Amino acid sequence: MVDNPRLTTRFAPSPSGWLHLGHAYSARFGCDVARAGNGRFLLRIDDLDLVRSRPEYEAGIFEDLAWLGLDWDPDIRRESNHLADYQAVVDRLVGEELAYPCFCSRREIRAEIARMGAAPHGPEGPHYPGTCRGLTTAEQQDRIGAGAVPAIRLDTEKAMAKTGPLTWTDREVGQIVAQPDAFGDPVIGRKDGGAAYHIAVVIDDAAQAVTLVTRGQDLFQSTHLHRLLQALLDLPVPEYWHHKLIHDEAGNRLAKRSDAAAIRTLRADGLSPEQVWARLGLGPPE
Ligand code: GLU
């Protein structure tokens, strides 16, 4: 008999700003779901953006969550410790011809789209027009030899042909047919050598044995692509629960820079953790 894996959720903030009310809601959501199921609630530091990530923001994450009365599993994962793993996966996809080097600059991509007259629009903007998809190995080598540094893009059509139809499950919505082609050919390896979020997130969720990904609805579309990557990389498929987003009084979604809603601003203003939770319509955590 195979044991059911233990319910495991996670909260994966980026240390590129202070946590705000939207983060508090998301962390609380994952924490409550884990506690209700006698599961684990994990923390992951999404510090892939090496330029914008700062140690004081990371320290702020721990401090603010603890002040709010949340606790998490001591086994914390920091993405910047796993860059070689992400790179190896990107290399593997290139080796399997499911991903390809792209030498285009943003300006060249814009010009090509303008020349074509239009491009389908996806969650990350207009689809890449496919300029570098058909380059031969010799052409790729020539460009690299001349000093050009490529990004790596997923060949989504080829990848989908390989996996066949896929589905994933959201607790709120139910079973969903994956439509990763909505992204065109997304970047999975960045020009600066850094990993792209989409690769890191599927590897991390598997490495941390996450069984239920709880996160905001802003990432709902990304799950289509994550499902495809999981299939290509033979990774286990977690269940998903995309929760509502928190808006400010003017009805705007809270963004990273909304300092007015930063937990530490509210704390400095003299609010208690209970009062902060009350702003989200919640009582204190159990
Ligand atoms: N670091 C991402 C964010 O703050 C979260 C990624 C995820 O939960 O998958 O939006």
Side-chain angles (χ1 to χ4, degrees):
M1 202 182 92
V2 182
D3 283 340
N4 272 339
R6 186 165 175 208
L7 170 70
T8 304
T9 66
R10 76 338 184 249
F11 174 55
S14 306
S16 53
W18 303 115
L19 292 192
H20 56 60
L21 283 171
H23 290 111
Y25 183 83
S26 197
R28 174 72 184 272
F29 190 91
C31 186
D32 280 0
V33 170
R35 281 188 190 174
N38 195 22
R40 298 168 76 203
F41 172 59
L42 305 179
L43 206 54
R44 177 190 310 155
I45 303 299
D46 178 353
D47 59 353
L48 282 181
D49 187 334
L50 303 176
V51 177
R52 298 229 306 264
S53 296
R54 300 224 305 250
E56 59 269 36
Y57 290 139
E58 182 179 317
I61 291 171
F62 302 127
E63 213 179 287
D64 290 344
L65 293 180
W67 180 78
L68 284 166
L70 297 180
D71 53 32
W72 53 90
D73 193 280
D75 192 9
I76 294 165
R77 184 168 169 102
R78 190 171 286 102
E79 292 190 332
S80 57
N81 288 340
H82 300 278
L83 300 180
D85 300 341
Y86 308 138
Q87 186 61 49
V89 163
V90 171
D91 291 346
R92 171 179 154 191
L93 291 172
V94 173
E96 292 174 6
E97 298 187 0
L98 295 169
Y100 58 89
C102 168
F103 299 90
C104 296
S105 64
R106 279 189 201 172
R107 183 194 295 197
E108 285 164 340
I109 294 174
R110 272 200 304 272
E112 180 59 15
I113 290 173
R115 202 188 60 74
M116 288 164 56
H121 216 84
E124 293 180 342
H127 286 189
Y128 175 62
T131 323
C132 292
R133 196 188 296 124
L135 292 181
T136 63
T137 312
E139 286 167 332
Q140 292 168 356
Q141 291 311 334
D142 276 356
R143 299 209 189 181
I144 291 169
V149 181
I152 304 295
R153 289 184 181 272
L154 184 69
D155 188 331
T156 303
E157 208 178 293
K158 245 190 193 171
M160 288 176 72
K162 176 164 188 208
T163 64
L166 300 166
T167 59
W168 54 280
T169 304
D170 180 276
R171 283 240 176 141
E172 202 102 357
V173 183
Q175 207 188 52
I176 294 155
V177 174
Q179 294 177 312
D181 40 340
F183 283 79
D185 284 359
V187 169
I188 57 168
R190 299 198 325 219
K191 271 192 198 220
D192 63 8
Y197 159 70
H198 299 301
I199 284 288
V201 72
V202 293
I203 294 178
D204 291 347
D205 285 332
Q208 291 190 291
V210 171
T211 63
L212 176 61
V213 172
T214 53
R215 60 185 177 194
Q217 269 164 9
D218 52 331
L219 289 165
F220 188 94
Q221 298 301 329
S222 296
T223 307
H224 290 290
L225 177 57
H226 299 171
R227 180 66 191 91
L228 175 63
L229 292 169
Q230 286 154 357
L232 294 175
L233 301 170
D234 305 309
L235 299 173
V237 183
E239 206 185 339
Y240 288 83
W241 197 345
H242 295 92
H243 60 69
K244 70 171 185 183
L245 299 176
I246 302 300
H247 295 84
D248 64 17
E249 278 120 39
N252 301 312
R253 209 186 108 197
L254 292 181
K256 280 218 172 79
R257 313 273 161 256
S258 39
D259 279 347
I263 305 302
R264 61 189 36 229
T265 310
L266 301 174
R267 177 154 39 131
D269 287 348
L271 267 72
S272 66
E274 289 73 20
Q275 287 169 318
V276 172
W277 288 123
R279 288 216 175 170
L280 292 165
L282 299 166
E286 296 281 300

